[in-house]
Amino acid sequence: MTELVHARPDTPRAALVTVGDELLLGDTVDGNAAWLGRALAELGLRVVHRTTVGDDPAAIRAALQDEAARADVVLVTGGLGPTEDDRTREALAQAAGVALRTDPEIVAALEERYRARGYERLPPTNLRQAEVPEGARALANAYGTAPGLALEVGEALLVALPGVPREMRGLFEDHVRPLLASRFEGRLTPVHVRRVHTTGIPESVLAERVEAALEGLEAAIRAAVEVAYLPDLRGVDLRLTARGARKQAEAALEAVEEALADVVAPYRFDDPEGDLAGALGERLRARGLRLATAESCTGGLVGRHITDVPGSSTWYAGGVIAYANRAKTVLLGVPEQLIEAHGAVSEPVARAMAEGALRTLETDVAVAVTGVAGPGGGTPAKPVGTVWLAVADRWGGGDARLERFAGDREAVRERAAQAALKAVYDHVAPA
Amino acid sequence: MTELVHARPDTPRAALVTVGDELLLGDTVDGNAAWLGRALAELGLRVVHRTTVGDDPAAIRAALQDEAARADVVLVTGGLGPTEDDRTREALAQAAGVALRTDPEIVAALEERYRARGYERLPPTNLRQAEVPEGARALANAYGTAPGLALEVGEALLVALPGVPREMRGLFEDHVRPLLASRFEGRLTPVHVRRVHTTGIPESVLAERVEAALEGLEAAIRAAVEVAYLPDLRGVDLRLTARGARKQAEAALEAVEEALADVVAPYRFDDPEGDLAGALGERLRARGLRLATAESCTGGLVGRHITDVPGSSTWYAGGVIAYANRAKTVLLGVPEQLIEAHGAVSEPVARAMAEGALRTLETDVAVAVTGVAGPGGGTPAKPVGTVWLAVADRWGGGDARLERFAGDREAVRERAAQAALKAVYDHVAPA
């Protein structure tokens, strides 16, 4: 159980209600629920339950009352828009047994906002957004029109937030976080989190090695840190969580991080967002180096990840998507005979691609990827997932390696792209 | 309200329970809930409610009983794995008021599966997966180890499926769909869905024009079709849904599609998966044409979308990621003076990039994208979002156009990439 082993007995319980027909009908995936769950858990609350209902005031009211009976705080998202389908305000009022009244300050703010955008007047439908349950506090929305609402219902605090993710997150940070911190002062176990980003090692193998490495730790320290494995196509993130007073928590985290250092070292990269291209960019920028890419099976995915990083033009000159074999020759100077002799997916061709990119784009370092992404194109000698990676630098250094990636076309391409970024990252590591 | 206006009075109600601490804690986004919601809605059931609970048998049992009281069928996902945290089997048994018993057939199947994978014997923990509530039917799992379970609880049918998405979807198709079709025979209003894929027009503008175009329709026909707008960064999908007997439903859909044909024509593309690159590939393949790409601000995103399509090597030779200006010159032959005179983000440079790619990669058609993705790099004359697109073909044809895309870096890049694909798609349209 990923339950918080060290939660205090008086840890406040949180519950969520997410509102919208589009959620029940599957038109929208409930990303808000995941974001809030994580934010509340890291704040130190225990998320105990979640309900999703459609745009039906009776169902919303029932869900609010139900969750309010089992939690100290209930967050409800959605249903605060200006249309007829937006029923959360009235449901909240009904759950609290109070009336809705129009708040003139909110009306004035809405009118001002529309005037500023060049509209002559506020569309009448938007007036609904100024309705506030008696006794509720409006939470100013700097990111949209609907204010959030906070209201006591029985022993519980109910907080209504817009469903638009950017607005929801903005109001959470502006209002909800400080509100909860003060309401539950003394009851929130501070959470300290460290993330270790890895790529190139499967979750199960990593978990086995990490657990073995942690066995040597003192029992109290090992018990103080929860280790979670968060895998996706790009790699596995290790999330280390410790609760309690900063000094002891950080000491425990430090001990755990040290204990697994050797295990993760070959696979680890450092970036605040867990973005390998960002980490690579930092290394290249710090050393004043420029990179070129030569891609075949990844078809532009490596370039895309690199250029996802703002400011990448500082350290990335560009690249070649040499998808057809002829393109490898005309764009990268890979001799036709080399491709004929060894095949496009081979060490000599990978190396020639990297050297070609280095030369043509006049950079300090270059990386090449050539492989069989699937579903077709595999042979017994080179099945789907076979990928050659090569790095070349202008001081004559270079490296090539063969990988076998599991999974479908998408998985092979993504894993190959990550491996290419990691290959350069390692090649330009500080001495 | 997106509620099914034409649902029969006896339309069966469905409810979902999704189980897992990782869902409440936000480590996993509830994709299963969205997928099932859509599948059930298209089958003709009305999804009324959804609960998400942690790995706590009491909470799971309460959720099952609660949903069983309000729905005719309850689908529960998660908690069927082999670990201690997997509690759904026991919760299901408790909700039904029956005992759990070990099914020897399932044990045999599990042992066989492990032997086939080369293990000597079944790990004892996996025996839990052979436990079945008395009276439940096991649903064979061809995609993993845990069988699904189907059990009557009061008036409701409860179906437990694995939480692993691929397994959940597989068991739904293999067992749940036929089970529901037969159980609710006569009560399921068949749903007929058509999707119209568009790109290059904002949702609000499209909605305005579509609604205006549909005003001319006979009221009964207009009322028979529900029009839903599903926007994302790549464009807007129109989902047209009609319920009831095939002949009338299809006639209504046909009438609606015809009525909005002119409105969507400039923005529409046809692909079963709604993938513009796939649609483009079909057109190029049908005409025996090959494509090259020249990208600047999109950094490989166009090539990536193209090569996401299996078999794209038939019609895509490759491309250039000419991120730095020098790269535009060395890889595409764009004269330095042209870039100096007009700037990299200009019509002459876009055209030269397209012609350069055409020539170098020896293709029939080429597309180039050059723009300001942001957040930096904007000027008053060329603010963030300014993008020039150019298409060139080897018969001297060509086209260039200026776009202004809204949004952040990710939005500008994705919209520019889609616009590039659409530009070629339109250029090679059948005469």
Side-chain angles (χ1 to χ4, degrees), chain A residues 92 120 155 165 176 194-195 237 266 291 351 389 410 415:
Chain A
L92 191 55
E120 235 183 68
E155 302 286 313
V176 181
R194 289 193 190 187
R195 284 176 170 79
D237 276 2
L291 171 70
R351 285 186 182 267
L389 301 160
E410 185 192 4
R415 288 174 170 144

Side-chain angles (χ1 to χ4, degrees), chain B residues 175-247:
Chain B
H175 301 286
V176 181
R177 192 184 284 281
L179 212 148
L180 295 179
S182 98
R183 182 187 184 86
F184 299 116
E185 191 178 346
R187 288 174 61 186
L188 294 176
T189 322
V191 174
H192 308 271
V193 183
R194 289 191 190 188
R195 284 177 169 79
V196 176
H197 311 293
T198 74
T199 188
I201 180 170
E203 181 191 1
S204 52
V205 179
L206 179 65
E208 217 172 54
R209 294 186 192 174
V210 166
E211 294 307 317
L214 298 185
E215 263 167 30
L217 280 176
E218 196 194 308
I221 300 222
R222 177 67 191 92
V225 177
E226 171 198 311
V227 181
Y229 300 85
L230 306 173
D232 68 24
L233 277 187
R234 297 198 195 186
V236 185
D237 276 1
L238 281 167
R239 189 182 60 215
L240 312 178
T241 308
R243 298 168 178 281
R246 175 173 288 283
K247 197 150 155 269

